[in-house]
Amino acid sequence: MEQEGEEEKMGIHSDEKKLLRHPPRMGGLRTMPFIIVNEAFEKVASYGLMPNMIFYLTRDYHMETASSSSILFIWSAFSNGLAIFGAFLSDSYWGRFRVIALGSISSLLGMTLLWLTAMIPQLKPAPCDQFNYNCNSPTAPQLAVLFSSFGLISIGAGCIRPCSMAFGADQLNNKENPNNERVLQSFFNWYYAVTGISTVLALTIIVYIQDQFGWQVGFVVPAILMVFSVLMFLLGSSLYIKVKASKSLFTGFIQVLVVALKNRNINLPSRKYNNCYHQSHELKLLVPTKNLRCLNKACIIRDHDKDLNPDGSASSPWSLCTVEQVESLKAFLRVIPMWSTGIMLLVTLNQISFSTLQANTMDRHIMSNLEIPAGSFSVFMVVVLTMWVAFSDRVMVPLLARYNGRPRGLNPIVRMGIGSLLSCVAMAVAGITESIRREKAIKEGLEDNPDAVVDISALWLVPQFALLGLAEAFNAIGQLEFFYSEFPKSMSSMGYGSSEDERTSLSDEVEEESDYRELPSA
């Protein structure tokens, strides 16, 4: 009754209620605990496995340090790369709910399998012979089990991470609500806060448990967390708004390329014959841009009777595309060179395994009875990143905007450039630190003893992690703004997995800088 009274005050009558996108009993704030807990537990569980994994591979599987680092780098890259596959699968075929459920179960299976490698002696090589210093290499079946656990965890991460935030926004997105934007913004703030806390807990608590209680306990804790993650997400199934998957964006890209190739011998019309382009119903009076003009041939109407249906749609999507499809492909091709500049930053950020080995050979005591785990030093990067983002948003951006007139302070490309430069400086600092550590080890006669502790503080590693945190903050924010300013509205989900309704202050820039150009109405 109270809800009906509020609706009457807002002017929402019974006839208008039928026009609401979703019934009141679906979605809403009550679904947030299920979604945020699912994401938080997955973050704690998966991120907590990575820092110390270098020790598990070298000590229990008797792998070389270089081989172990390469395996972990590939694992991390695979987990991040599968986010594209997860987003594609959810947007084009299964929808976000099914993909997140699949990812949660896959992560649980992977962590359980990894825990079994620590519990069952036959799943890993026998301990080294302490007298003859002989160590057995892992067999093919043992490696298959280990890599299968890594693969299942990667699939889980690739399915959950790109869909979780958008799925949460689906539950709260109600355009009829005058406070819709404020509710969404509040959700995003809470989501990022929980994500940051989860990462810190993973790099401290989980790493500490592994150091103090061994792999059997250290691996079962993430597995238990994933059990709660799966259960919490599935318990809210009846309450969720489950948006159906739409047409595949990548299929549209292929169609544009195929049709443009078919029409390669057709001459482009002059600008005064713009009515020969096929426009979608949602975006009328739209003409293709001048850049990459060869792709414009994909949306040329050669014969109105043969190419179009009576309702104006294309008779065959493999013979005629819309201007929107052509412009989406152009936007995608334009950002690839700039997106590729972030590859080297990711390479520097994935040197955690070597830094963990460094910290393990250094004095990690802050006080006589307080020692930082070797795998926890990357938490300094997360802390610096979080502090800088808060400082930049509240202090630096308003000051810069006052002087240069840009709403976001610095140009996105400048931000990306600063991030890349800082990553170079971070690697230079890391090289200097390693030179000092190595020189100290040689002086102490420990160059042939990789397990010995050198008389040098591990806090020497903090500057390089702080610089990497700043580098990621600048580059990630710069890329986010750049993608939003370059991508058309139909591709907003590709700008870091956000839907069009999830835009914040960047939306004004997108409206101004979009390459789409509408003709004036008659």
Side-chain angles (χ1 to χ4, degrees), residues 198-214:
S198 302
T199 305
V200 172
L201 292 176
L203 297 176
T204 53
I205 303 300
I206 302 299
V207 171
Y208 176 81
I209 292 174
Q210 292 170 356
D211 282 355
Q212 296 297 317
F213 302 101

Side-chain angles (χ1 to χ4, degrees), residues 274-334:
N274 290 317
N275 58 348
C276 65
Y277 293 109
H278 178 46
Q279 297 110 8
S280 63
H281 294 292
E282 294 81 9
L283 297 173
K284 296 180 179 179
L285 301 175
L286 198 63
V287 297
T289 52
K290 295 181 180 179
N291 59 333
L292 297 173
R293 297 176 69 242
C294 59
L295 297 178
N296 294 351
K297 297 181 179 182
C299 58
I300 295 177
I301 303 174
R302 294 174 296 177
D303 189 328
H304 282 73
D305 295 331
K306 293 182 179 180
D307 295 341
L308 299 177
N309 293 320
D311 61 353
S313 62
S315 58
S316 172
W318 295 96
S319 298
L320 179 64
C321 300
T322 64
V323 176
E324 182 185 15
Q325 287 178 281
V326 172
E327 292 302 311
S328 295
L329 178 57
K330 288 181 180 180
F332 179 74
L333 295 176
R334 279 197 304 268

Side-chain angles (χ1 to χ4, degrees), residues 102-288:
L102 169 67
S104 300
I105 295 173
S106 179
S107 289
L108 174 59
L109 293 175
M111 293 178 189
T112 303
L113 191 59
L114 182 62
W115 172 62
L116 290 177
T117 63
M119 291 294 296
I120 302 176
Q122 291 78 11
L123 294 181
K124 60 184 177 182
C128 298
D129 189 337
Q130 297 180 356
F131 298 100
N132 298 324
Y133 299 100
N134 292 327
C135 295
N136 296 323
S137 300
T139 63
Q142 290 170 343
L143 289 177
V145 174
L146 178 67
F147 293 159
S148 296
S149 68
F150 288 172
L152 288 170
I153 294 172
S154 295
I155 292 172
C159 290
I160 296 174
R161 294 173 190 173
C163 303
S164 184
M165 183 169 65
F167 185 68
D170 290 339
Q171 314 310 310
L172 301 176
N173 186 24
N174 184 359
K175 295 181 180 179
E176 283 75 16
N177 183 359
N179 297 322
N180 184 53
E181 184 177 351
R182 182 179 62 81
V183 172
L184 285 174
Q185 188 62 51
S186 177
F187 163 67
F188 296 144
N189 292 338
W190 277 103
Y191 183 90
Y192 284 120
V194 170
T195 299
I197 294 172
S198 302
T199 305
V200 172
L201 292 176
L203 297 176
T204 53
I205 303 300
I206 302 299
V207 171
Y208 176 81
I209 292 174
Q210 292 170 356
D211 282 355
Q212 296 297 317
F213 302 101
W215 303 117
Q216 295 180 356
V217 178
F219 287 161
V220 77
V221 171
I224 293 174
L225 290 176
M226 278 309 304
V227 170
F228 285 111
S229 176
V230 174
L231 290 177
M232 282 294 294
F233 184 74
L234 295 181
L235 281 175
S237 176
S238 61
L239 303 176
Y240 297 142
I241 295 172
K242 300 169 185 176
V243 179
K244 294 182 179 180
S246 58
K247 181 181 177 182
S248 169
L249 186 65
F250 291 96
T251 301
F253 289 169
I254 298 174
Q255 289 173 347
V256 171
L257 294 174
V258 171
V259 178
L261 183 62
K262 286 182 179 179
N263 298 344
R264 61 186 180 278
N265 296 324
I266 297 179
N267 294 325
L268 290 170
S270 61
R271 301 298 292 179
K272 62 181 180 180
Y273 296 107
N274 290 317
N275 58 348
C276 65
Y277 293 109
H278 178 46
Q279 297 110 8
S280 63
H281 294 292
E282 294 81 9
L283 297 173
K284 296 180 179 179
L285 301 175
L286 198 63
V287 297

Side-chain angles (χ1 to χ4, degrees), residues 6-17:
E6 293 178 359
E7 290 176 348
E8 293 296 333
K9 292 179 182 180
M10 294 171 58
I12 301 177
H13 302 288
S14 58
D15 293 335
E16 295 174 337
K17 293 177 187 177

Side-chain angles (χ1 to χ4, degrees), residues 344-352 354-355 358 380-381 384 417-435 460-475:
M344 292 309 300
L345 177 62
L346 292 177
V347 171
T348 60
L349 292 174
N350 280 278
Q351 303 300 317
I352 304 300
F354 182 74
S355 299
Q358 278 182 300
F380 290 105
M381 180 174 67
V384 170
I418 293 174
S420 299
L421 180 61
L422 286 173
S423 69
C424 296
V425 176
M427 286 296 97
V429 171
I432 295 172
T433 302
E434 173 59 14
S435 298
W460 278 84
L461 300 174
V462 173
Q464 68 193 55
F465 281 110
L467 288 169
L468 285 175
L470 286 175
E472 186 175 9
F474 272 101
N475 193 273

